[in-house]
Amino acid sequence: MPGLPAARRTVLKGAALAGAAGLGAAACSTESKLGHAKQPTPTAPVDLGAASEVPVGGAKLYREQRLVVSCPAKGEYKAFSAQCTHGGCVLTKVEGTEGHCACHGSRFDTTTGKVVQGPATVPLPAVPVTAEGGKLVAGPGA
């Protein structure tokens, strides 16, 4: 910008950088974003296979179905969306009863859906789940 005083150039550069930073912050806000999928939870029943695949006292991640299922006690199951409520990424792994999102580091308790570590601030949505005939079915009507 030839001909402009140095102070004016500095102000204009600062304004441009502030605008770019604002866009970055909006793209990665801490508000709940139930993600890239329109529905973070199933809209129809989903067959998850053998209930025995979910360890008692642990949890199993069903990445393709975007679900995480825990088994706090034998025969008792709880399911949640595995789609992070911060940025919408699908959880990448489960260690014990903690689900991990690799996108921004959020962690969730897979027995309650509650946030264990941010930046997410909103718990994972609960999903109905039943075990019938040794198989797990999650979603509406389950």
Side-chain angles (χ1 to χ4, degrees):
M1 296 180 201
L4 291 177
R8 185 166 179 211
R9 277 193 296 245
T10 303
V11 169
L12 291 174
K13 284 181 186 177
L17 289 173
L23 287 174
C28 188
S29 76
T30 56
E31 288 183 38
S32 173
K33 291 182 187 177
L34 294 176
H36 301 73
K38 291 183 182 186
Q39 283 287 343
T41 57
T43 56
V46 178
D47 182 2
L48 298 176
S52 61
E53 290 182 16
V54 181
V56 175
K60 179 175 172 148
L61 177 62
Y62 297 87
R63 272 187 61 86
E64 189 174 308
Q65 294 85 359
R66 297 184 342 261
L67 294 169
V68 61
V69 178
S70 66
C71 181
K74 187 174 181 171
E76 183 183 329
Y77 299 94
K78 293 183 179 183
F80 298 90
S81 168
Q83 195 167 328
C84 179
T85 57
H86 170 69
C89 299
V90 177
L91 302 181
T92 53
K93 68 179 177 177
V94 171
E95 290 181 347
T97 58
E98 193 171 277
H100 298 246
C101 178
C103 291
H104 300 107
S106 292
R107 294 184 181 189
F108 299 88
D109 181 330
T110 60
T111 63
T112 63
K114 291 183 180 177
V115 177
V116 173
Q117 174 181 309
T121 58
V122 176
L124 298 172
V127 175
V129 63
T130 58
E132 292 181 25
K135 292 193 173 208
L136 288 176
V137 176

